[in-house]
Amino acid sequence: MVAAATTVPVLGLGSPASAASGYDRTSAKEATRVDRVKAPKLAWFDCEAIFGSPGAECSTATLPLDYDKPKGATTDVALLRIKAAKPKQKIGTLFLNPGGPGGSGVQIAAAAPFFLSPALLDRFDVVGFDPRGTNFSDNVRCWPNIAAQSKDLAGLNIAFPVGNKENAAAVKSAKAWGKACSTTGRPLSASMSTAEVARDMDVLRRAVGDKKLNFLGFSYGTYLGQAYANMFPDRVRSVVIDGVLDPVGWAGTPKTAGVPQTARIKSGEGADKALHEILARCDKAGPDYCALAGVGDPQAEFDKLVAKAKKAPIEIVDPLDPTNPFVFTYADIYGILLSSLYDPFFGYADVDFFLTAAVTGTLPDATVEQRAAAVKTLRAVKAKAAKSKQAKVTAAQRKAFGGYAFPYDNSPEAFAAVLCTDGLNPKSAANWPAYSAAAAKKAPGFGPLWTWGSAQCASNTWTAQDEDRYAGPFTRRTVKPVLVVGNFYDPATNYAGAVAASKLLPNSRLLSSDSFGHTAYGTSECVTAGVDKYLLTGALPARGTLCVGPQPFADPLAPPAAAKVQGVSPQAPMPSSKATPSTRSGAKPAPIAPFVPGGLG
């Protein structure tokens, strides 16, 4: 981990706060909505055994489904708390959100002892809650059972569609998704906008006894932080947003409604930038540090691979099992690369390993342990692809297993119900192939992947809208400053989003990181210390601070890599899944799989 800080020209820094300049206040309408709701009494119970987190306590809170009807229908929200290690020195409660949308606040709070700094754990109760409709909270459910869900979503069970046949299937699934959530999914699917979650968080803030909010949000969680800061600007003590969404891009405007929401936030361009920077660094580092450089010019080899994959799927042969190659489509390549790019520490090594295997057509020479791990990883990918092509479930099987209603994974609904109620989108899903083609010109592969993530939100099929969503402005002056954290090569939340958010918020400070992967907290002492100090004391990093995180190809490959194509550096894991705060803290990474649009977090 690199702990470095320098100063750079100030980008997007809001006006400094001062007593004289004042601050904006919660609107009378918004204050009425939340303040008339009685803070629920939280009955905490021991859930350490459930989550494996020392001292974990859980509870549920019953909240209004619609804050305009506080005595009407309700929804239950699940919470988890880790109490401050030094209660006599407690500052208050730190609310966490991991992103998604649809990520579990309960689970990130359970992981807090493994990734938050001891100083924060000493001084804050850490609380995460699952946003309404998701995870351990009351679930939104758009289909009667998992079989119906799987059937409707079959056309989108790929990284992104290529060709007329796949495009038609994807459009069909997108329409079915939108219609299902606008009918069966109601009323919860129309009440899951980020504004509703921000209102829930304000009521929960009162429920834990805090006068003002302390919040740390990652990825999509940064939009929740921005929504809260702008809806309740006088109720902020400390808000950190890390891996930042451009709020105007996410919400959309009448002028930009004709561009898909997941294209407006420029995630595809961010991923493209990160990949090509890694290829350039590989070329500069040479074959002693990057295996692909031992094959040829990394950028040229990648271009040839993509051209080949567009014509036919590529195969990677396992020397220990040559009759059973791994097969990857053009779209799979970008899905796997995006999944690797999420990892801030070893994502570059994952990219090097996979591309070297793909370009050469065989698993690179490696140790027995590395090869075994790689085989396991690639087989998991192949198994997932095979599973998506399973035969239809028979009526007898469906009856025997209760219509496949249990277990029911509502993550597609959880993701979409937030995305589609938050932002404006074009009218017809039938036009998404054209939007995808336009995105491909800006960010080949990655652009289409991200763009298809919002096809179900087409407004003539997704009609479950929240009339109380928050659409701006995002320029409220908060009573205390907001800390905005962005890293240069984030493949999901483009660094430009952090710059945009900091320019919009008058009382904010931008903390930049020259690093890779998704989000920055925990990647360098510089970023972590800056965030911790702000949360503990309110003191902001110096204007223009630039931290430096882990850099690609800093360590040589294991011998005899200099002489021939090799695998990954000895300290690097095999290709892993998206990096989350828990994996950044040392949790064992999961095998990669093609990235299917379904969240930022």
Side-chain angles (χ1 to χ4, degrees):
M1 220 169 2
V2 180
T6 59
T7 57
V8 294
V10 176
L11 290 173
L13 301 176
S15 302
S18 69
S21 62
Y23 53 86
D24 289 315
R25 288 171 172 76
T26 302
S27 70
K29 183 176 182 180
E30 203 62 71
T32 298
R33 276 187 178 130
V34 295
D35 293 345
R36 66 187 173 187
V37 175
K38 185 177 180 180
K41 185 176 181 180
L42 301 175
W44 297 101
F45 62 91
D46 183 351
C47 58
E48 178 176 332
I50 300 173
F51 293 96
S53 185
E57 299 177 329
C58 293
S59 185
T60 57
T62 299
L63 298 166
L65 184 68
D66 183 347
Y67 277 87
D68 289 332
K69 301 174 182 177
K71 295 184 179 180
T74 60
T75 188
D76 284 350
V77 170
L79 304 91
L80 184 144
R81 176 176 69 178
I82 303 292
K83 296 181 75 173
K86 296 181 179 180
K88 291 183 179 180
Q89 301 177 32
K90 190 177 83 169
I91 294 170
T93 298
L94 177 62
F95 284 87
L96 302 181
N97 183 280
S104 176
V106 163
Q107 290 181 329
I108 194 176
F114 308 105
F115 80 92
L116 284 183
S117 301
L120 297 182
L121 296 169
D122 285 344
R123 305 289 304 280
F124 286 102
D125 285 350
V126 177
V127 169
F129 68 97
D130 285 342
R132 50 175 56 207
T134 75
N135 301 290
F136 296 99
S137 296
D138 281 346
N139 276 194
V140 61
R141 187 159 156 167
C142 298
W143 289 273
N145 54 54
I146 199 69
Q149 183 200 62
S150 298
K151 180 181 177 181
D152 275 356
L153 297 183
L156 289 168
N157 192 27
I158 50 178
F160 60 88
V162 177
N164 292 337
K165 184 177 180 180
E166 289 188 355
N167 276 324
V171 168
K172 181 180 179 181
S173 285
K175 289 180 177 180
W177 192 350
K179 289 178 180 178
C181 285
S182 298
T183 52
T184 305
R186 285 182 182 268
L188 192 49
S189 62
S191 303
M192 288 176 59
S193 72
T194 301
E196 303 291 9
V197 180
R199 294 177 185 114
D200 290 345
M201 187 158 63
D202 194 59
V203 174
L204 294 174
R205 171 191 60 77
R206 285 192 283 121
V208 298
D210 281 10
K211 293 183 178 180
K212 296 188 185 300
L213 180 78
N214 300 289
F215 177 78
L216 173 58
F218 301 95
S219 192
Y220 156 77
T222 66
Y223 188 71
L224 173 58
Q226 291 177 82
Y228 185 94
N230 283 281
M231 292 168 66
F232 307 104
D234 52 348
R235 303 183 182 189
V236 168
R237 178 194 172 269
S238 60
V239 167
V240 180
I241 51 177
D242 179 7
V244 185
L245 286 172
D246 175 352
V248 177
W250 183 262
T253 67
K255 290 184 178 180
T256 62
V259 178
Q261 186 175 2
T262 47
R264 290 195 301 259
I265 59 175
K266 302 185 184 303
S267 296
E269 290 91 325
D272 186 71
K273 175 184 176 182
L275 173 64
H276 289 291
E277 182 66 18
I278 286 174
L279 293 176
R281 300 278 188 98
C282 173
D283 184 42
K284 185 177 180 180
D288 287 353
Y289 291 80
C290 179
L292 187 58
V295 179
D297 175 80
Q299 182 64 61
E301 293 298 329
F302 175 73
D303 291 342
K304 288 189 289 185
L305 173 68
V306 168
K308 180 180 178 182
K310 284 182 176 180
K311 296 178 181 178
I314 63 166
E315 294 185 350
I316 299 177
V317 175
D318 171 14
L320 299 182
D321 188 11
T323 62
N324 191 27
F326 307 103
V327 181
F328 300 95
T329 66
Y330 163 69
D332 288 338
I333 290 172
Y334 282 95
I336 290 170
L337 290 174
L338 180 59
S339 181
S340 297
L341 289 170
Y342 265 66
D343 186 339
F345 295 109
F346 302 116
Y348 73 91
D350 294 352
V351 169
D352 183 28
F353 183 91
F354 174 70
L355 289 182
T356 301
V359 166
T360 62
T362 185
L363 293 180
D365 286 344
T367 65
V368 174
E369 293 79 7
Q370 286 176 328
R371 181 175 291 175
V375 169
K376 182 178 180 181
T377 291
L378 294 173
R379 280 182 178 156
V381 172
K382 190 174 182 180
K384 181 173 181 177
K387 185 177 179 182
S388 69
K389 298 178 182 179
Q390 287 178 345
K392 292 183 178 179
V393 178
T394 67
Q397 288 173 323
R398 188 174 296 115
K399 182 178 180 180
F401 290 94
Y404 281 83
F406 184 83
Y408 186 95
D409 175 15
N410 89 321
S411 56
E413 293 103 305
F415 162 68
V418 179
L419 179 80
C420 302
T421 54
D422 268 357
L424 301 177
N425 277 285
K427 290 184 179 181
S428 176
N431 293 327
W432 250 257
Y435 302 138
S436 174
K441 294 179 181 179
K442 298 178 180 179
F446 295 121
L449 191 158
W450 282 108
T451 297
W452 275 99
S454 55
Q456 69 280 4
C457 300
S459 60
N460 63 4
T461 46
W462 189 289
T463 58
Q465 296 300 323
D466 183 355
E467 71 277 7
D468 294 325
R469 79 178 183 104
Y470 188 75
F474 297 96
T475 55
R476 302 295 191 198
R477 180 177 290 276
T478 51
V479 62
K480 297 292 184 182
V482 173
L483 181 59
V484 181
V485 184
N487 63 306
F488 288 170
Y489 303 106
D490 193 312
T493 48
N494 197 316
Y495 175 70
V499 174
S502 64
K503 285 182 177 179
L504 288 166
L505 283 167
N507 190 14
S508 69
R509 181 66 50 84
L510 177 64
L511 176 61
S512 300
S513 179
D514 180 352
S515 57
F516 290 75
H518 184 35
T519 74
Y521 184 80
T523 61
S524 71
E525 182 180 345
C526 173
V527 169
T528 305
V531 170
D532 289 350
K533 184 177 180 180
Y534 163 76
L535 288 171
L536 292 165
T537 69
L540 293 166
R543 291 177 178 275
T545 296
L546 173 64
C547 299
V548 180
Q551 299 296 303
F553 312 111
D555 299 309
L557 297 168
K564 56 183 178 179
V565 173
Q566 190 70 6
V568 295
S569 56
Q571 74 274 32
M574 286 298 103
S576 60
S577 66
K578 297 182 190 179
T580 63
S582 58
T583 61
R584 285 197 294 271
S585 67
K588 186 176 180 180
I592 59 168
F595 182 94
V596 178
L600 295 154

